[in-house]
Amino acid sequence: MKGRVEGKVAIVTGAARGMGASHALCLAREGADVAVVDICKEQAQAGYTMGTQDEFEKVANEIKAMGRRAVTAQCDVSNAEEVEAMVNTVMQEFGQIDILVNNAAIVLPVIPLWDVTEAQWDKVMEVNLKGIFLCCKYVMPHMIKRQYGKVINIGSVWGREGGQGAAAYSASKGGVHNLTHALAKDAAPYNINVNAVAPGLIRTPMQKASQDVLAKGMGVESEELGKQFISMLSIFGREIPAEDVSNAVLFLASEESRSIDGMVIYVDGGHNAA
């Protein structure tokens, strides 16, 4: 049976682990060739921990094992020269780009705004918001040339309502949502759909690192704090698997969503309805 994105080429940023890896593998299972993009650096500060080179290669090898083509591209999405070089590499390898999943993001430890440094604020904005701008800037001209494209930005439930102790992250994701609305209007004449997926609480290495730091500061067990988060953020009272977010990404990357544009789809366990 033909896959839902058969013959398409996708770029997924932040794809070495967590949700990004899930998105990349989901698209490959449905027929896409995938550029696995990640900065691949280990940094000690909570929320800044990226995928390792081994994880990077593991995702690409799993894609190849499915019979799809994969290329790895090490790239800091907040650096214009690196993004341009990454896009050029993908074009040389595959000759086209049909799907762009802007997943790369960082989150600070949960702290009030007045304790956030200027450097921390700038870093969150550079990766979470500027990174999407740069990836779109260098990818979309190739989509415009072919009069086809699917751009999926990863937002957050906190981009709608804000999260306590997460002002920088919430502001950046609110920006992602508004960028999605505006960019959809610019891109529609070229047959390019631009949408966003806004997850709720998803268990990823980045989320776990932030939760561990918060739990330590509160003097509670991390797993117990995680259970409290789930009860607050999901009306189902259960964790949201990364695969559920990936399925929404797949839908927006497929032709099934051709009449959906400029939307933010919440995959948040019903929190948006509460």
Side-chain angles (χ1 to χ4, degrees), residues 80-240:
E81 290 183 1
E82 292 190 24
V83 172
E84 184 177 21
M86 176 271 290
V87 173
N88 288 341
T89 296
V90 176
M91 287 299 296
Q92 289 167 10
E93 183 74 19
F94 297 128
Q96 67 190 65
I97 301 169
D98 303 289
I99 301 161
L100 170 62
V101 182
N102 286 307
N103 172 79
I106 59 173
V107 61
L108 296 175
V110 180
I111 52 177
L113 177 66
W114 49 88
D115 288 333
V116 175
T117 67
E118 184 177 356
Q120 287 175 319
W121 177 275
D122 288 346
K123 186 65 177 177
V124 170
M125 296 303 163
E126 285 172 5
V127 175
N128 296 6
L129 192 52
K130 181 184 175 184
I132 292 180
F133 154 65
L134 289 175
C135 288
C136 289
K137 175 179 174 63
Y138 289 105
V139 167
M140 291 184 72
H142 297 289
M143 293 179 169
I144 290 169
K145 194 174 295 184
R146 296 179 61 239
Q147 296 284 293
Y148 181 85
K150 304 282 189 177
V151 177
I152 301 104
N153 300 323
I154 305 301
S156 169
V157 64
W158 281 356
R160 179 181 71 93
E161 64 188 43
Q164 184 177 2
Y169 181 80
S170 299
S172 72
K173 291 300 186 177
V176 170
H177 294 186
N178 248 337
L179 174 61
T180 299
H181 300 319
L183 187 56
K185 297 171 184 176
D186 288 343
Y190 305 101
N191 194 36
I192 299 169
N193 298 73
V194 183
N195 292 289
V197 177
L201 180 66
I202 312 293
R203 179 57 60 93
T204 65
M206 185 173 75
Q207 182 275 330
K208 182 64 165 57
S210 182
Q211 179 181 301
D212 288 347
V213 170
L214 180 60
K216 185 176 180 180
M218 295 173 64
V220 299
E221 292 294 325
S222 182
E223 287 304 311
E224 184 58 37
L225 184 61
K227 292 176 183 177
Q228 292 177 29
F229 281 158
I230 292 169
S231 65
M232 287 189 298
L233 294 175
S234 170
I235 61 176
F236 290 111
R238 62 173 183 258
E239 213 168 60
I240 303 163

Side-chain angles (χ1 to χ4, degrees), residues 28-49:
R29 277 191 291 269
E30 288 293 330
D33 298 321
V34 184
V36 182
V37 178
D38 204 287
I39 192 171
C40 283
K41 292 179 182 177
E42 288 287 355
Q43 300 181 28
Q45 186 172 356
Y48 283 58
T49 305

